Amino acid sequence: MSLYGVLRSGVSGMNAQSNKLGTVAENIQNSSTTGYKRASTEFSSLILPSSEGNYNSGSVTSRVRYTIADQGPIAYTTSGSDLAISGNGFFVVADPSGSPYLTRAGNFVKDGRTGNLINAAGFTLMGYKLGAGAVDPSLNSLDGVEPVNMASFGMQATGSTAGTFKGNLPFGQAVAVAPGVPTPPDSVLLEAPAISTGAQIEFTVGGVTERFTVTTQKNLTEVVAAINTTYGADITATDVSGDLVLTSTAGTAVAGSFTSVSKASSLQVYDKVGNPIKIDIALSKIDADTWSISVFNGSDPTKPLTGSTTMNLNFDANGKLDGSGVLSFNIPGGEAFNLDMSGMTQLAGEYNVTGSSNGNAPSAVKDVEFAADGTVYAVYEDGTRVGAYRIPLATVPSPDNLSPRAGNVYETTAASGGYQVGFPEMSGFGSIASGALEGSNVDIGTELTAMIEAQTSYTANSKVFQTGSELLDVLMNLKR
């Protein structure tokens, strides 16, 4: 056996254990680093050819591996922008030059200069923008991702386009249609009509049926004036001691009825620039299984709603609505609006309805919320939530073969394979928890044990080197 081989083996062993001590030191230093993945040193023997009578000492090689695929413990924090991945996947982040990286470090905060969400290492969280200009992500590419920046969502208004009006209409409600009392030969008397928005006066004269709907009129006097202005060529309306009398101008027979409002409600919507508009909703029971619903502009009656503003709701014997129950009309200065009433019932209970609509008034972003599926919501001062971005998760076929870089980020390598992109809670990907961080997967006890082992092996290899050096000195002194 060559003395040089002994020296080489001792040095090789010390170098290998030095590498191990280096990874142990790095692990201990980063035991509190968010999303850090433990490094370990693995050894492999390097055997040189030897003969029976002469052993040729080899050496040992070392290789550093990272347990990137191992989940770290999740701890909850007080910051809503702290994000932790539970399961498979990495956040996609970018450095200041725009180069993409992968990370599990989700300690993001808003950067005051750019408005981007950045983590403690200065990397920017990337996501896909929702709404207008949204892109469809590729399964194997990060094309289309952009910095998650909430500054562009400040102070905006959204016009209402859809709403719901649902609940129960009481089965025992009295029918609101009151037939007029004929006053032969040419008039009809409607007894003390209850004037309110949505009430209807229907009359037939000369074989023609007309319907007058109360909109801006507040009392019987105004109703009389409006009828005479609109239908004065055929009929004359008068107020007789609080009753409405309709008289034919041609002396022909007149029949009529008055439909009062059984129930009334309202719904607030918004036009394109965020002006609030109150939609008045009038409900009248016109027979045992039918209600009439009408909608009006309650904010400004001089700007009436256009489109389909009236319809009948028909209920079956079980109190369920027949038909779609969708009323479509146009909001003045706003969008086409669909009011969905498919959730209406007519049961033996009280009048109990609820309503909602989309859209919002001009409002500033006060907060950001993150959903488990990766959707980022801009939360406005009025409580409105708007989906702004969706955060993707990316992974690779072999995460442990990713290449670590400064800042607790990783790059893909030939051994790790290329990107696979998806969204949280999709098959093969984990979920995102807001207000939480994934800790390091380093165990201090394990590292201290590894340190003692490396120290012992380093000392033993140094003794090998020292002994070989002494033998070499003896050999050299033989010459003297």
Side-chain angles (χ1 to χ4, degrees):
M1 175 178 176
S2 168
L3 288 179
Y4 289 108
V6 173
L7 295 173
R8 183 173 62 247
S9 296
V11 171
S12 174
M14 287 189 290
N15 285 337
Q17 297 303 325
S18 177
N19 286 341
K20 183 172 182 178
L21 283 169
T23 59
V24 170
E26 180 182 336
N27 291 339
I28 293 175
Q29 292 167 10
N30 288 281
S31 61
S32 298
T33 301
T34 299
Y36 175 80
K37 300 302 181 180
R38 178 179 181 270
S40 63
T41 303
E42 297 181 357
F43 301 127
S44 177
S45 61
L46 183 60
I47 305 297
L48 298 179
S50 302
S51 64
E52 261 186 53
N54 185 34
Y55 180 73
N56 193 8
S57 175
S59 61
V60 62
T61 62
S62 62
R63 181 178 179 182
V64 177
R65 291 186 179 274
Y66 290 84
T67 56
I68 299 173
D70 287 356
Q71 175 85 44
I74 292 180
Y76 287 90
T77 70
T78 58
S79 174
S81 61
D82 284 341
L83 304 176
I85 300 172
S86 179
N88 195 29
F90 297 84
F91 295 112
V92 179
V93 294
D95 64 10
S97 67
S99 299
Y101 294 91
L102 304 181
T103 187
R104 297 278 289 200
N107 46 348
F108 296 104
V109 295
K110 180 180 177 181
D111 179 38
R113 183 177 60 85
T114 63
N116 296 336
L117 290 180
I118 61 173
N119 65 11
F123 288 88
T124 300
L125 178 64
M126 307 297 281
Y128 293 101
K129 197 167 187 176
L130 301 178
V135 298
D136 293 326
S138 301
L139 296 176
N140 59 348
S141 170
L142 296 177
D143 289 345
V145 294
E146 58 182 84
V148 175
N149 187 310
M150 307 308 294
S152 61
F153 289 84
M155 209 59 169
Q156 68 174 15
T158 306
S160 300
T161 58
T164 61
F165 185 63
K166 59 184 179 180
N168 186 61
L169 302 177
F171 178 81
Q173 180 71 38
V175 174
V177 181
V181 179
T183 306
D186 57 359
S187 63
V188 65
L189 182 145
L190 305 176
E191 296 181 347
I195 304 303
S196 60
T197 301
Q200 295 179 347
I201 299 166
E202 187 175 287
F203 60 90
T204 301
V205 59
V208 178
T209 299
E210 302 286 358
R211 177 180 293 175
F212 174 81
T213 301
V214 177
T215 54
T216 61
Q217 298 77 26
K218 304 300 182 184
N219 50 52
L220 183 55
T221 300
E222 293 181 4
V223 169
V224 167
I227 292 176
N228 287 332
T229 299
T230 306
Y231 306 103
D234 300 312
I235 204 164
T236 300
T238 54
D239 178 356
V240 179
S241 301
D243 296 333
L244 176 62
V245 177
L246 303 176
T247 305
S248 169
T249 58
T252 55
V254 180
S257 64
F258 178 82
T259 303
S260 59
V261 176
S262 301
K263 302 293 180 182
S265 189
S266 63
L267 190 66
Q268 182 167 285
V269 298
Y270 299 91
D271 65 13
K272 292 179 180 179
V273 296
N275 289 316
I277 296 175
K278 187 177 76 167
I279 303 297
D280 286 336
I281 302 173
L283 293 154
S284 300
K285 188 170 185 179
I286 58 178
D287 64 35
D289 296 316
T290 305
W291 290 68
S292 174
I293 182 169
S294 300
V295 292
F296 307 90
N297 185 347
S299 297
D300 188 356
T302 64
K303 298 178 180 178
L305 306 177
T306 58
S308 300
T309 58
T310 300
M311 73 178 299
N312 288 342
L313 300 176
N314 300 307
F315 297 92
D316 62 19
N318 296 316
K320 295 183 179 180
L321 183 67
D322 283 333
S324 63
V326 177
L327 198 60
S328 299
F329 52 89
N330 301 307
I331 298 172
E335 309 283 355
F337 188 86
N338 292 325
L339 183 61
D340 184 1
M341 296 170 289
S342 59
M344 279 292 187
T345 60
Q346 183 187 240
L347 302 173
E350 296 182 351
Y351 175 71
N352 183 12
V353 296
T354 59
S356 64
S357 70
N358 60 5
N360 63 277
S363 181
V365 176
K366 91 173 171 181
D367 201 2
V368 180
E369 286 187 359
F370 299 85
D373 66 352
T375 303
V376 184
Y377 292 94
V379 182
Y380 290 86
E381 291 175 344
D382 62 357
T384 305
R385 285 166 171 75
V386 176
Y389 293 90
R390 194 169 184 196
I391 300 171
L393 293 182
T395 188
V396 293
S398 180
D400 288 346
N401 282 312
L402 287 168
S403 177
R405 292 290 181 265
N408 207 10
V409 296
Y410 305 98
E411 278 186 323
T412 58
T413 65
S416 71
Y419 294 116
Q420 297 294 308
V421 182
F423 289 114
E425 299 190 329
M426 288 178 56
S427 177
F429 293 91
S431 60
I432 290 179
S434 175
L437 291 173
E438 180 185 3
S440 165
N441 62 0
V442 172
D443 179 72
I444 293 294
T446 301
E447 299 308 317
L448 293 177
T449 301
M451 180 188 295
I452 294 171
E453 291 174 349
Q455 181 184 12
T456 302
S457 295
Y458 188 93
T459 301
N461 278 284
S462 68
K463 290 296 183 181
V464 171
F465 179 82
Q466 183 180 6
T467 301
S469 179
E470 291 174 352
L471 291 174
L472 186 60
D473 286 342
V474 170
L475 183 62
M476 297 296 293
N477 289 332
L478 291 175
K479 189 176 179 181
R480 301 190 183 100

